Amino acid sequence: MGQVYLFAPGNSEKKMQKAINLHTDAVIIDLEDSVPSNEKAMARQLVSSIFDTEEINTVRSKLYVRINSLKTPWFFKDINMVKELKRLDGIMIPKSEDKTSISLAAELLNKDIEIIPLIESAAGVMNIEDILKSHPAVKKVAFGSVDFALDIGVDWSEEGIERSYAMSKLVLASRTCGANPPIDAVFPIINDRESFIEDTIKGKQTGFYGKMVIHPKQTEWVKEVYAPTKKQLEWCMKVINVFESSTHSGAIDLEGKLIDRPVYLLAKRLVSSS
Ligand code: COA
Ligand code: MG
């Protein structure tokens, strides 16, 4: 089922502890845009002390840190800090536009952790294949929709017309480069469940797998969209049974719908992922 990545600001001990104790699929501790410039050093220390406990090894979530980009004064300091953490599943590199910062981070870290490039500009989208192939530590990318709108010079919209081509391009490139599907962007409106669900459905249907969120309550909403419904599962079981008991593997009519090999394979995949 689609994974949830919950962001917690690196300058808030309370939110980081809360996020970690929720045991959601993954937590991304943020050192970038949720932390003001004059609190970068404090946040780095705070993150380091939170990870320097025995309890951190009992956390069931995957743990990531979003560092600051190479274009900022904090990239190297952030890397040096995360390199020393006892437990870390990976880092996220924001505003990734080419392979330079990824290769550099991998070399400096010199440990077996994942690197998730965050694609949030036209350059990042256009260079996606280079980014995906930059290092074996890159298993997938994530998309940032608000910075992307800013970069291409339009307003961010709920419906997402401005990002639909970019999102599809990330999905197709991930597939052809042998990477996992990309992670969908955060939806910056916190209190509107309906529009959040609509946005998550669009991402899922575009080919994304899982979503980043900024508030704990959005976690359940992502799960809701990615979990198959009872009705879907029942239909898929019917498709599987009819196809497997058929004397031929060509087209079959089931309640007015065409069932053939790809339909059968989709049904099997949905059942096995539930
Ligand atoms: N992680 C963990 N806990 C969080 C949280 C988060 N991302 N967002 C909110 N909470 C906690 C709050 O601390 C509060 O806890 P409490 O009930 O124990 O006091 C509870 O959930 C309810 O929070 P609420 O009052 O609805 O929100 P808020 O005003 O405290 O915070 C934001 C709103 C947007 C500032 C907050 O959700 C946030 O910081 N999100 C992450 C931002 C971020 O990391 N951005 C970078 C990536 S885009
Ligand atoms: Mg951003």
Side-chain angles (χ1 to χ4, degrees):
M1 210 200 295
Q3 304 279 294
V4 181
Y5 297 77
L6 172 63
F7 268 112
N11 58 349
S12 166
E13 181 167 9
K14 184 182 162 199
K15 285 190 186 128
M16 284 192 277
Q17 293 289 11
K18 188 158 181 161
I20 287 170
N21 288 320
L22 283 171
H23 298 288
T24 179
D25 302 324
V27 172
I28 310 175
I29 302 291
D30 186 32
L31 295 174
E32 202 218 11
D33 284 349
S34 65
V35 178
S37 311
N38 62 350
E39 291 184 16
K40 296 286 187 192
M42 177 277 271
R44 219 179 289 121
Q45 276 192 349
L46 193 55
V47 172
S48 172
S49 69
I50 284 184
F51 277 70
D52 193 21
T53 56
E54 289 306 318
E55 294 83 67
I56 203 75
N57 291 316
T58 64
V59 175
R60 289 198 298 278
S61 318
K62 284 196 165 192
L63 298 173
Y64 296 89
V65 172
R66 181 168 80 168
I67 62 169
N68 288 281
S69 86
L70 184 56
K71 287 185 181 154
T72 70
W74 308 293
F75 176 86
F76 292 98
K77 287 182 179 148
D78 290 353
I79 293 270
N80 285 338
M81 186 276 284
V82 296
K83 192 180 156 103
E84 300 305 322
L85 298 180
K86 276 190 205 147
R87 149 126 205 246
L88 188 68
D89 294 280
I91 61 164
M92 174 172 277
I93 305 186
K95 303 183 176 74
S96 288
E97 303 204 318
D98 55 35
K99 56 187 175 189
T100 318
S101 57
I102 299 161
S103 317
L104 185 59
E107 194 185 315
L108 294 169
L109 285 170
N110 192 26
K111 63 204 263 196
D112 188 19
I113 59 170
E114 197 183 346
I115 296 180
I116 306 180
L118 181 59
I119 309 299
E120 40 190 353
S121 66
V125 173
M126 297 316 281
N127 293 332
I128 186 61
E129 293 191 5
D130 278 354
I131 292 170
L132 283 164
K133 290 176 186 160
S134 60
H135 196 276
V138 177
K139 317 275 186 222
K140 54 186 170 291
V141 299
F143 181 60
S145 68
V146 182
D147 272 298
F148 178 76
L150 181 69
D151 184 63
I152 64 166
V154 298
D155 287 339
W156 179 89
S157 72
E158 261 184 57
E159 313 73 45
I161 296 162
E162 77 283 3
R163 56 186 177 270
S164 64
Y165 168 71
M167 288 175 68
S168 290
K169 182 158 168 133
L170 298 190
V171 168
L172 301 189
S174 299
R175 175 77 183 129
T176 55
C177 292
N180 295 322
I183 309 165
D184 199 1
V186 303
F187 189 69
I189 302 166
I190 300 168
N191 292 322
D192 186 348
R193 179 180 176 279
E194 204 177 309
S195 53
F196 182 95
I197 297 264
E198 253 173 56
D199 181 69
T200 310
I201 291 172
K202 265 182 215 156
K204 181 186 173 199
Q205 197 55 28
T206 302
F208 279 70
Y209 185 74
K211 190 169 180 68
M212 298 180 284
V213 300
I214 48 173
H215 195 285
K217 69 179 167 198
Q218 295 179 325
T219 302
E220 283 312 305
W221 299 345
V222 175
K223 291 286 173 192
E224 226 176 274
V225 171
Y226 276 88
T229 62
K230 195 165 165 257
K231 204 169 145 198
Q232 269 176 318
L233 285 173
E234 280 169 6
W235 170 255
C236 287
M237 288 311 300
K238 238 188 227 181
V239 169
I240 294 167
N241 288 336
V242 166
F243 193 82
E244 287 181 354
S245 56
S246 164
T247 48
H248 62 86
S249 56
I252 306 160
D253 175 350
L254 175 62
E255 298 171 20
K257 286 187 183 135
L258 168 79
I259 309 300
D260 60 4
R261 191 162 174 78
V263 175
Y264 162 70
L265 293 176
L266 280 169
K268 281 205 22 158
R269 188 174 67 189
L270 197 121
V271 168
S272 67
S273 73
S274 68

